[in-house]
Structures are given as C-alpha cells and as structure tokens.
Amino acid sequence: MPLETIDDLQEKVIARNPAEPEFHQAVREVLSSLRALGNRHPEYADARIVAQMCEPERQLIFRVPWVDDKGQVQVNRGFRVEFNSALGPYKGGLRFHPSVNLGIIKFLGFEQIFKNSLTGLPIGGGKGGADFDPHGKSDDEVMRFCQSFMTELYRYLGEYTDVPAGDIGVGSREIGYLFGQYKRITNRYESGVLTGKGLSWGGSLVRTEATGYGCAIFAGEMLASIGGSFDGARVGVSGSGNVAIYAIEKVHQLGGLAVTASDSGGYVYDPDGIDLDLLKQIKLEERGRISEYAQRRGGNAKYVKNGCVWEVPMDIALPCATQNELDGKSAAKLVKNGLRVVAEGANMPCTHDAVAIFADAGVPYGPGKAANAGGVATSALEMQQNAERDSWTFEYTEARLTQIMKNIHETCLATADKYNHPGNYAMGANIAGFRKVADAMLAFGVV
Ligand code: NDP
C-alpha cells in the first residue's frame, strides 16, 4: 500500500473523530504496521478496505436511567460500537468504569477486530460499556443498572448478530443480571447471546481464567522463542482484577514467581511471591482493596500507596490493568532493571513511547491483541458449546486455549518474518489480523 494513502487516512481518521485520543492511538498503531504491506496487495487499496475498517459499521449511544438505594434517579451513558462483522457476529466485552467514553469504546472495538481475527475463530469485533462505576454500589444498585442497560441494548443483540461479554467492571455478577433481563424481555433462553455466563446456566469452564492464563501462556512462548522459560523468573503483574489474578495463577503453574499486583490506589510488592488464595479472597470474595493484601500477608510484603508498579525490578512484565498504564519512563526503568519480555494482558497498556523503548532495547513485546486474545477465544468456545448444547471439561477447554495461544504466537512470528520484520510481534499481529478480515471484506463487495 502506498505510504501516502496511510498518512492521508490517518489524518482523516483524526479529523473525523475529534477528541478521541485512544482511538487515534489504536488506529495509528495498526496503520503503521500496514506500511509493511508495501505494494504487495493493491486490491486492498483499490477497495479502500482500510478506510472502511476504520469506520464502525454501527455506533449506539443511549441513556441508562436507574434508581439508587436512596430512591434517587441516576443517569448514565451506555455505548455499543459494532465495528466489524466480516468474520462473524460482533464480539467484545462491556466495560463499566467512570472513564468510559465513545473514544475509549472505539479504541477497544477497533483492537477487537484484529484480535478476534487472530484467534482463527468466526467472530467479528465490537465493544461496549457505560460510564457507570460499580465500586461502592450495592448488589441491588448494580442489578437495577444492568437491567436498565439491557432494556435498551437487547434489541441490537443476538447470537448471530452481537454477543457481548465482560471487561473492566463487568464480571459474572453483572453478566448474570444482564442475561436475566435479556431473557425476560425477549422470552428466549438464548445462551449464545452473552459469554462469561455462570457455569450452571451456559457458561464455559476456563472462561474466567482464560485471559490471564492465555497471557501467561503467550509470554511462555515468547520466552521459549529466545531460549528462556519462566523457571525462577520474577514476574511483575499490574492490576488485581480478572486478568491479573489468573495471569498470576498461570505464572506460578509455569514455574515463575509473580511478585506484584496493583489497583488504582497503589501496588503491593511481595518478594516471596503473591499469595494467590489471599489475593482471591480480598479481590474476588470481599471486593476489597489491594492495600489490605500487605496488611494481612505480613512478612516481606509491602504496599506502596499511589506507587508505580513498574519501579520494581522484574524479568517479565505483564501489564493487566488498563490502557496507557506503562509509559516511556516506566519502560526505561524496566529495561534498566533487566526486563527480558513484556506481554500485555490489558488492552493497549503500553504507550507508544514505551513500545519504542522496548524495541530499541531488543526486549520482545507481545501486544494485547495477541497476548490477551485467550479471553475472547474461550468466549467463542463458550458459544460453540452453547450451540451444541454441550459443556466440555476443564482439561479439554484449557488444552484448546493453550493450542490457540500457541497458534497466535506462531502466526505473529511467521507473519513478521514474511513481511521482513523478524521478531516484531506487533507487526505480525496487525498484519495477520488485518489480512483475514480484509480478504473477507473483499469477498463481500461494497456492503
Ligand atoms: P477488572 O475490572 O476485573 O480489573 C481491572 C483492574 O485494573 C483492577 O485491579 C482495577 O483497579 C485496575 N484498574 C482499572 N482502571 C485503572 C486505572 N485507571 N488505573 C489503575 N488501575 C486501574 O478488569 P479485567 O481484569 O477484566 O480487565 C483488565 C484489562 O484487561 C482491561 O484492559 C481489559 O480491557 C483487558 N481485557 C480483559 C479481558 C477479560 O476477559 N476480562 C479480555 C481481554 C482484555 P481498581 O479496582 O482500583 O479500579
């Protein structure tokens, strides 16, 4: 593809989508990789495939009114961006967090197109959410919010149309309330309309663990490709939610030692290794704060209020909290402290500057759209089980997940080689993800 076209397109995307810096960042990152296609695929340029891909197929913004425990009416804003359905129904999570806005949902939805393509499974890309903060809300408040959210969203969903799942602030509790309301309004037990469901009502074993497990498995493959392994490695993990907890669990199973966890208040450093049972109890059962971990763990564990987790020396970094949490300054510190590999559990946690510093230092960098694809891949496996009215064992499902992560790793490296950027996982992920979607779009004509 001629260089000018990419530059032009980037400018147009920025002009057409003002004040959406995260979306611009995600588009810039993918388009910069597509330069490596050179003139090899004029058919994509002729059909303006990239321009089409940067425009969501459909964007929904809606009011979500609900009543809090004091009887006061609250109003939030809901979003669903149905970005691309070339490979299957729109698929991507819902995020409930006060920072949510259209630009953040668009960045996540855009990333999801390429991620879902990389899994090799028949799923398109989408994302949604609301600027609702579940922290500090009662179960009843969360239920009323979810019911109101689904009362609007249900008309756009369906197992062949759009299939949401969880993300930040949306776990099994929220998925339960959302599914209950969908079932009530439609009078249909349509299991395949949401993933991340409870095990007794259509959920899949391993879905809860899948994103974190997949990220650690991907990092293990990256280490193996440079002749290393997790054995004895000190691993820094950020976040203490769904992705972080199960990344830590798999790191320990693979022989590494996870020594950090964090939340928006600060981080804990536990040189003896994170006590996973304690972490799960505090974060999953009690919905508490990470500060409590250090108090209850005692020993050498310490809590650093408002601290940056990337100050801790580590061999492997797994950022698993949120976008742009690891900047250039942190990357430089990590490199200085001997970092060997970074794999993203979160979506776009490393800034552009951080990625450039890793590249300069020769530290392999696994982008989220490859390294955290295990979650959505297992969601697609959940959809398969729902369609078959079947449920697979933990061992079988985990074996499928492991194979998918290995395939994605291999695809990234092989594609990076093919386009003359050996070892560049981001380049490999973007091009491989893009080409599959692009070829399907070409086949469909201008629709
Ligand atoms: P959770 O809500 O379970 O956990 C999020 C964690 O990140 C919490 O510890 C939270 O701390 C922390 N966090 C969130 N926002 C910030 C912030 N602005 N600053 C510092 N810490 C923050 O979410 P998940 O674990 O599900 O998601 C984490 C990341 O992984 C996200 O980027 C998500 O998009 C991505 N992801 C998730 C998938 C999944 O299957 N769940 C699939 C693929 C990617 P606090 O409680 O203080 O807010």
Side-chain angles (χ1 to χ4, degrees), residues 95 135 167-169 207 211 240-243 263-264 289 321 346-347:
R95 175 176 293 190
H135 286 115
D167 190 81
I168 291 178
R207 175 60 189 93
T211 309
S240 51
N242 172 269
V243 179
D263 61 22
S264 52
R289 307 301 296 160
N347 285 310

Side-chain angles (χ1 to χ4, degrees), residues 136-273:
K137 304 287 190 303
S138 70
D139 283 353
D140 281 352
E141 288 177 321
V142 171
M143 180 182 73
R144 288 195 290 273
F145 175 81
C146 289
Q147 290 175 341
S148 179
F149 185 86
M150 186 53 92
T151 300
E152 177 58 29
L153 190 63
Y154 87 94
R155 65 193 87 234
Y156 306 104
L157 306 183
E159 63 178 312
Y160 297 110
T161 312
D162 186 348
V163 184
D167 190 81
I168 291 178
V170 178
S172 56
R173 173 182 62 171
E174 289 76 14
I175 294 290
Y177 295 144
L178 292 164
F179 185 73
Q181 185 71 350
Y182 182 87
K183 184 172 78 62
R184 182 183 190 193
I185 296 174
T186 60
N187 195 31
R188 284 167 63 86
Y189 204 109
E190 196 181 329
S191 298
V193 77
L194 280 173
T195 58
K197 298 183 292 295
L199 293 178
S200 61
W201 43 277
S204 171
L205 286 162
V206 192
R207 175 60 189 93
T208 305
E209 296 85 353
T211 309
Y213 274 23
C215 176
I217 293 166
F218 193 89
E221 292 297 298
M222 292 176 75
L223 284 161
S225 76
I226 53 170
S229 79
F230 268 113
D231 272 344
R234 299 170 68 74
V235 183
V237 176
S238 64
S240 51
N242 172 269
V243 179
I245 286 173
Y246 293 101
I248 291 171
E249 185 162 289
K250 184 52 84 181
V251 162
H252 288 173
Q253 288 172 13
L254 294 175
L257 192 70
V259 291
T260 66
S262 69
D263 61 22
S264 52
Y267 73 86
V268 286
Y269 172 51
D270 188 345
D272 302 321

Side-chain angles (χ1 to χ4, degrees), residues 381-400:
L381 301 182
E382 181 174 331
M383 291 162 75
Q384 265 187 46
Q385 293 168 75
N386 294 151
E388 292 171 350
R389 304 265 191 280
D390 198 1
S391 49
W392 306 340
T393 63
F394 193 95
E395 291 69 25
Y396 176 74
T397 317
E398 193 184 13
R400 291 282 303 263

